[in-house]
Amino acid sequence: MQLYNTLSAEERAIMIDDAGKQRLTLSFYAYAKIQDPKKFRDDLFLAWNKLDALGRIYVANEGINAQMSIPEENLEAFRATLEVYDFMKGIRLNEAVEHDDHSFLKLTIKVRDKIVADGLNDETFDVTNIGIHLKAKEFNEILDDPNTIVVDFRNHYESEVGHFKGAITPDVETFRESLPIINEQLQNHKEDKKLVMYCTGGIRCEKASAYFKHQGFKNVYQLEGGIINYAKQIEAEGLESKFIGKNFVFDNRLGERITDDIISQCHQCGKPCDNHTNCENDGCHLLFIQCDECKAAMENCCSTECLDIIHMPLVDQVRLRTGKQVGNKVFRKGKSENLKFKHSGELSNVALDASDSSVSEQAKQKPADIRQKIKVKKVLLGKAEHYYVKAQVGQFTIENLELNIGDKILISGPTTGNQELTLEKMVVNGAETTTAKIGDIVTFEVPFRIRLSDKLYKIVN
């Protein structure tokens, strides 16, 4: 019974391209009492894996939070898998403004303590006593009311590229940081002002609105379905967009354009720009805004230090990362002294530039850039069997084709990532030789730790 991914992101991308079928990017959430999150998680994986559904999903005792990519032809079958559960019958699916077949490349469903890390003790207040939901037209109308205070409950790197006009945009890196800040800032307006809040898809506001009502705020409202749903409604109803710029999204696209306004700057040169990137140096992976010119000059790096590092031999790059924190603790969100044009906190409502037709074409090509990066032509050779830490030697079983000295190879896995090497020396079945065939046990030096889940590929020019 398959309960986890068996394909790498690269393999999945190739399969998606070969299939040539339209995929939809969507999100949804639901708060509900789930007695056995682990079983719920496994049942969802089995059902969704059959439908070629991909995405990042969190489940907990309190509910589900999902961002996904679904083949368009499987949408109704996917809805049917949700209807099995009473709390997801008729659930709203927020479809993205801009679809990209490569928005997600794996199906990852994780069991968490909470579906959103809010830092709140849910036992201390009624989490079901939420604010009044507003559709796009109602939201626009309430924003025009002088007694309205509108708050962006997203993080600084999200609001920097796009936000509602006049919104309070807290200078925070996590949702949990914003709650006490806003509560303190608005202490004197609990009864005389309308507290209106929004986020990407609505889930953060569900908890935030209940929290602020518990704190004594009398008039609490939230944007139904968040910015994603708002964008769909204003287009369908021909309404004015009071949101300006881009909506940051947590998939490979990193953003979808709502209006042509560019309200942020390249963090390196100051040119109007709202395209996020992650630093190419795996030991940094800083999320920041970078224009095409700086991207070319800096090779996707955030600083000259990182640029120097990516040109080092791989073994030296790995050595520099040894002992550092890993995972999300490394992936900083745009806070660095190297970024001279970084803005957060109180943001301007004035556009610095407009996304003209040429820029729009570049934006349309961005998914192609993602595909270009991950579509390395390769063939599977075998799988990892062991890693000798002290000797820095990896052992592999050859299951397909031949491996020869001089071949350019790629070792790929969920933790290892994608590491390329040129094979200069190897031992086959205990003896040094130049060729390994199907069934052979091969060992050679690998300057980074490998895992049993890793696969060995030959890169084909």
Side-chain angles (χ1 to χ4, degrees), residues 16-17 57 164 288 297 404 460:
I16 289 173
D17 285 343
I57 302 94
F164 279 97
F288 68 109
N404 297 285
V460 181

Side-chain angles (χ1 to χ4, degrees), residues 127-145:
V127 296
T128 66
N129 185 24
I130 60 176
I132 298 171
H133 284 93
L134 299 173
K135 297 187 181 299
K137 183 178 180 180
E138 299 167 321
F139 194 80
N140 279 359
E141 291 172 352
I142 204 168
L143 291 187
D144 291 333
D145 187 333

Side-chain angles (χ1 to χ4, degrees), residues 141-376:
E141 291 172 352
I142 204 168
L143 291 187
D144 291 333
D145 187 333
N147 287 318
T148 291
I149 297 177
V150 60
V151 180
D152 189 329
F153 275 101
R154 300 174 303 152
N155 306 322
H156 68 83
Y157 54 91
E158 299 174 79
S159 57
E160 184 177 7
V161 295
H163 55 260
F164 279 97
K165 299 173 183 177
I168 296 174
T169 52
D171 186 11
V172 296
E173 291 196 21
T174 63
F175 171 51
R176 69 173 67 192
E177 292 177 66
S178 63
L179 296 173
I181 291 174
I182 295 301
N183 188 35
E184 181 179 355
Q185 189 172 342
L186 302 181
Q187 276 295 309
N188 297 326
H189 299 292
K190 290 185 176 182
E191 297 191 13
D192 66 326
K193 296 291 185 180
K194 296 176 181 176
L195 176 57
V196 180
M197 55 187 67
Y198 69 90
C199 57
T200 307
I203 186 170
R204 283 176 268 192
C205 293
E206 289 290 301
K207 189 65 70 71
S209 65
Y211 169 77
F212 281 99
K213 290 185 73 172
H214 174 70
Q215 291 297 318
F217 288 84
K218 302 300 182 185
N219 305 295
V220 181
Y221 303 83
Q222 61 190 98
L223 179 59
E224 184 179 72
I227 301 164
I228 297 174
N229 197 40
Y230 177 87
K232 303 288 284 188
Q233 288 184 13
I234 61 170
E235 181 180 6
E237 300 175 26
L239 302 174
E240 173 194 1
S241 175
K242 292 185 179 290
F243 184 95
I244 55 174
K246 256 186 179 181
N247 180 30
F248 184 94
V249 292
F250 294 88
D251 57 54
N252 289 333
R253 297 171 298 155
L254 293 179
E256 51 185 16
R257 184 160 298 287
I258 307 300
T259 72
D260 290 335
D261 303 291
I262 298 176
I263 64 172
S264 53
Q265 298 172 279
C266 171
H267 287 167
Q268 292 175 317
C269 72
K271 175 183 176 180
C273 176
D274 55 11
N275 292 329
H276 277 98
T277 189
N278 282 112
C279 181
E280 192 70 17
N281 174 18
D282 286 337
C284 173
H285 210 67
L286 180 75
L287 179 70
F288 68 109
I289 298 173
Q290 188 177 49
C291 69
D292 291 341
E293 289 78 3
C294 289
K295 185 182 290 289
M298 297 296 293
E299 299 178 40
N300 280 44
C301 289
C302 69
S303 65
T304 54
E305 291 81 3
C306 286
L307 182 60
D308 290 340
I309 289 173
I310 67 168
H311 289 151
M312 291 180 178
L314 180 59
V315 63
D316 293 332
Q317 293 186 45
V318 174
R319 188 176 295 118
L320 284 175
R321 298 199 295 269
T322 301
K324 289 187 176 182
Q325 291 179 315
V326 297
N328 290 333
K329 293 180 181 179
V330 174
F331 301 163
R332 296 170 292 141
K333 304 296 192 296
K335 295 286 190 180
S336 171
E337 293 181 358
N338 293 317
L339 304 178
K340 298 179 181 179
F341 297 92
K342 170 78 183 101
H343 299 290
S344 57
E346 188 174 343
L347 300 172
S348 172
N349 296 320
V350 178
L352 301 175
D353 199 357
S355 173
D356 59 25
S357 58
S358 61
V359 175
S360 296
E361 285 303 313
Q362 291 174 6
K364 291 176 183 177
Q365 291 302 315
K366 192 174 182 183
D369 293 337
I370 295 171
R371 286 189 284 272
Q372 187 65 33
K373 184 176 181 180
I374 60 181
K375 279 179 58 179
V376 176

Side-chain angles (χ1 to χ4, degrees), residues 436-452:
K437 299 182 179 181
I438 296 175
D440 287 343
I441 303 297
V442 179
T443 56
F444 52 84
E445 288 188 9
V446 181
F448 48 86
R449 189 183 184 108
I450 63 172
R451 279 80 176 173
L452 295 181

Side-chain angles (χ1 to χ4, degrees), residues 58-60 62 112-122 207:
Y58 300 131
V59 298
E62 67 174 1
R112 292 282 181 87
D113 292 333
K114 289 193 171 189
I115 55 176
V116 175
D118 51 41
L120 298 174
N121 182 355
D122 294 353
K207 189 65 70 71

Side-chain angles (χ1 to χ4, degrees), residues 24-38:
L24 303 176
T25 301
L26 53 86
S27 63
F28 63 92
Y29 66 88
Y31 280 99
K33 294 292 183 183
I34 299 176
Q35 297 300 323
D36 189 346
K38 175 62 168 60

